[in-house]
Amino acid sequence: MPEGSLPREGVRRDDWTVTGNTEDALTSVNVCTKQARIAELARKLPGRTLVSLNHYLDMDWMQEACKKTRKDGAPGVDGMEWEEYSHELPKRLEELLNRAKGGDQYRAPAVLRVYIPKGKTDTRPLGIPTLEDKILQRAVVMVMEPIYEQEFLDCSMGFRPKKSPHQALNTIWKQVMGMGGCWLIDADIAKFFDTLDKAVLRSMVHQRVGDGVIRRLIGKWLSAGVLDKGVMNYPEAGTPQGGVISPMLSNIYLHHVLDLWFEQEIKPCLKGRAWMVRFADDFVMGFEQEQDARRVYEVLFKRFEKHGLKIHPEKTRLVPFYPPERNSGKRETFNFLGFTHQWGTSRKGRAIVTRQTMGKRLTRALDGLRQFCRQNRTEPLEEQWKALKQKMQGHYAYYGITGNMRQLANFAYHAERIWRYWLNRRSSKRDMPWERFKRILARYPLPRPRIVHSYA
């Protein structure tokens, strides 16, 4: 093959793969090759501090980071959106790169705090960086990812390459079924992103990342102000949930606080088998022996307090998760990643773990459809249909797992009725009887529920 040419089926460099034969693909291959070098270096020097990393940050790297950054996200404190920022993009990226490497030339802009609904009464704070900051944070994540992919354990499945919520769900299912039931610690970390210790996080990062440019950028992002309802403040703890680099930093923090502790200190001391699955700051532990589960439950709270975190005492439970015939007839359940896990019966009469959409998540999804239909009821039918179809397909793409067809059908049933209800309120005539609505559905059919992730 001639030098510099690309195979049409794509190029693979370790865990980073790109496809195509265009100029953009050549840039991606260049970046993937560099990431593979970083990964190899991290493998050869386990536990060592890597001091020379920022030279990988060049224009190809910045262009790839820009390509991987969402263009339709909410703007930050400067109000800059992609349409405006994309003008003279190469020049902007070059200036950003020079400032990032120029020490004091770069100042991390404040993060815009917004609040999104969480349930019917609570809200969750999110931090929105500026578009330029998102690109630079993505570039730094692309440097750190190949390093920490050599460090992170298999139990960590959140915001990692080739990891997904459905892999986490499948792992839990296999572990529980393999034990025929187990004792579970269903844990909840209270306000994790708002309370993690910044100084401890920096020391954890410095154990592996010794490059001055990368360290300085992370330090500036951790020290950046937060603009909350027009008031600027500088939190002493936490990292904004919503920042591009926040998932990486949270994984590093919990890798040291939880993953390594469970794998290296807890499991060797147990009498029976044990496992853990963590997705970002949500995790579940399973134990073969009740005595092991109770011992770990008692020390778990102290472990997190030692590192500036708090396990929620009311939302964290010790659950005997066994089939009813082995659990005095009780049907225990637990929630994880939007699904309620419970024991059921297969078609052959065998006890199996089933997963169904959590009631709160189903209600939230239907409320979202209801709000959309209300706000867009005067739009053309075809436009409403396209948007509704996309929303429903997105719901099935996540919740469409084996055993959840009843809740999917329930979602589809209510989605049809919500759409008809708001079409009926387009005018005061209320001229949307079921016969007419059925004719509309024949022309604009809503997607039917389907199983996307089969674990059979």
Side-chain angles (χ1 to χ4, degrees):
M1 183 179 297
E3 184 178 357
S5 64
L6 300 178
R8 184 170 299 273
E9 66 272 13
V11 174
R12 179 175 177 83
R13 296 290 187 273
D14 195 61
D15 288 333
W16 292 272
T17 306
V18 296
T19 58
N21 55 0
T22 64
E23 184 177 347
D24 286 343
L26 183 60
T27 299
S28 298
V29 169
N30 183 22
V31 172
C32 290
T33 303
K34 293 176 181 178
Q35 288 183 305
R37 291 174 187 163
I38 298 173
E40 182 63 24
L41 183 64
R43 275 193 296 268
K44 289 181 178 179
L45 301 172
R48 298 274 296 277
T49 304
L50 306 182
V51 296
S52 183
L53 296 170
N54 77 84
H55 69 276
Y56 291 105
L57 292 173
D58 56 15
M59 280 301 294
D60 281 351
W61 198 279
M62 296 301 293
Q63 289 172 5
E64 187 69 12
C66 183
K67 187 167 65 174
K68 292 182 177 181
T69 301
R70 281 188 59 184
K71 311 301 190 298
D72 58 348
V77 293
D78 60 356
M80 180 75 72
E81 296 187 354
W82 174 250
E83 184 177 356
E84 179 182 356
Y85 189 82
S86 60
H87 295 159
E88 298 183 336
L89 182 62
K91 181 180 178 181
R92 288 183 183 271
L93 293 179
E94 186 174 5
E95 291 176 351
L96 175 61
L97 179 61
N98 291 335
R99 281 188 282 121
K101 291 189 174 185
D104 294 336
Q105 295 181 26
Y106 172 78
R107 292 186 178 182
V111 173
L112 179 64
R113 173 152 290 177
V114 298
Y115 295 86
I116 61 173
K118 182 182 178 182
K120 292 186 177 180
T121 57
D122 296 336
T123 58
R124 173 181 294 168
L126 289 183
I128 303 178
T130 62
L131 177 59
E132 193 170 66
D133 233 28
K134 292 177 184 177
I135 296 172
L136 187 55
Q137 288 186 20
R138 176 60 60 192
V140 171
V141 168
M142 287 163 54
V143 174
M144 299 175 68
E145 196 171 73
I147 299 173
Y148 283 100
E149 279 304 302
Q150 319 310 315
E151 305 283 320
F152 292 155
L153 306 182
D154 291 338
C155 63
S156 170
M157 298 190 179
F159 306 105
R160 294 180 56 191
K162 299 185 178 181
K163 302 287 186 181
S164 71
H166 297 97
Q167 285 181 316
L169 293 166
N170 195 26
T171 300
I172 292 175
W173 190 89
K174 288 181 177 179
Q175 292 286 359
V176 175
M177 290 297 296
M179 289 183 176
C182 60
W183 281 81
L184 282 172
I185 295 179
D186 178 15
D188 183 87
I189 306 176
K191 298 182 178 179
F192 168 72
F193 285 93
D194 297 331
T195 58
L196 65 83
D197 192 308
K198 294 181 180 181
V200 173
L201 175 58
R202 287 192 186 95
S203 67
M204 291 174 177
V205 172
H206 292 178
Q207 291 179 26
R208 277 304 252 162
V209 179
D211 185 274
V213 171
I214 304 297
R215 282 187 177 187
R216 187 165 55 246
L217 288 173
I218 293 175
K220 289 182 178 182
W221 289 323
L222 289 175
S223 303
V226 176
L227 186 63
D228 189 354
K229 299 178 181 178
V231 178
M232 184 70 72
N233 57 75
Y234 297 86
E236 295 181 359
T239 177
Q241 186 176 2
V244 175
I245 201 166
S246 294
M248 171 63 71
L249 296 179
S250 66
N251 270 338
I252 294 172
Y253 202 91
L254 289 175
H255 170 71
H256 289 275
V257 173
L258 180 61
D259 301 354
L260 290 178
W261 172 72
F262 184 78
E263 191 67 28
Q264 298 177 0
E265 299 183 35
I266 294 299
K267 288 178 71 174
C269 300
L270 302 179
K271 294 183 177 180
R273 291 177 294 170
W275 53 268
M276 181 180 72
V277 171
R278 179 176 66 81
F279 194 93
D281 60 328
D282 295 323
F283 66 95
V284 175
M285 295 176 173
F287 303 87
E288 188 177 25
Q289 300 289 334
E290 177 182 358
Q291 182 181 0
D292 290 338
R294 294 193 179 279
R295 288 171 58 199
V296 175
Y297 183 81
E298 291 175 359
V299 300
L300 189 63
F301 292 83
K302 297 178 181 178
R303 173 67 182 180
F304 276 77
E305 288 175 1
K306 180 181 177 181
H307 292 85
L309 300 174
K310 184 179 180 181
I311 294 291
H312 201 297
E314 297 177 359
K315 296 182 180 180
T316 301
R317 304 184 303 145
L318 184 61
V319 183
F321 192 67
Y322 290 94
E325 58 270 19
R326 293 184 56 190
N327 200 30
S328 303
K330 294 181 180 178
R331 290 187 176 271
E332 295 284 359
T333 67
F334 71 95
N335 297 324
F336 191 69
L337 295 180
F339 291 89
T340 297
H341 299 65
Q342 58 191 2
W343 283 96
T345 306
S346 70
R347 293 179 179 178
K348 296 182 179 180
R350 187 168 64 98
I352 60 170
V353 177
T354 63
R355 286 78 51 88
Q356 295 184 349
T357 310
M358 286 173 53
K360 290 182 179 180
R361 294 293 183 93
L362 180 60
T363 301
R364 185 194 305 176
L366 292 174
D367 285 345
L369 291 183
R370 195 172 287 111
Q371 183 178 5
F372 169 81
C373 291
R374 179 177 63 84
Q375 294 175 346
N376 296 274
R377 62 185 182 273
T378 59
E379 297 296 322
L381 278 177
E382 186 172 357
E383 297 301 317
Q384 293 186 46
W385 170 68
K386 288 180 179 179
L388 276 174
K389 184 171 68 170
Q390 185 177 17
K391 291 177 183 295
M392 293 179 70
Q393 287 173 339
H395 185 88
Y396 301 148
Y398 185 80
Y399 292 103
I401 69 173
T402 302
N404 195 33
M405 181 55 78
R406 181 177 295 180
Q407 285 289 64
L408 297 180
N410 193 18
F411 174 79
Y413 172 85
H414 287 286
E416 283 189 0
R417 277 145 183 80
I418 289 171
W419 194 23
R420 175 189 173 270
Y421 176 84
W422 287 106
L423 287 179
N424 195 39
R425 296 178 65 87
R426 283 160 66 101
S427 68
S428 58
K429 296 180 180 180
R430 302 291 192 269
D431 55 350
M432 188 56 66
W434 274 104
E435 291 74 15
R436 183 183 176 191
F437 182 64
K438 288 180 180 179
R439 292 195 296 270
I440 291 176
L441 286 180
R443 183 175 181 182
Y444 301 108
L446 294 177
R448 306 312 305 163
R450 64 192 183 96
I451 300 299
V452 179
H453 309 276
S454 177
Y455 300 143

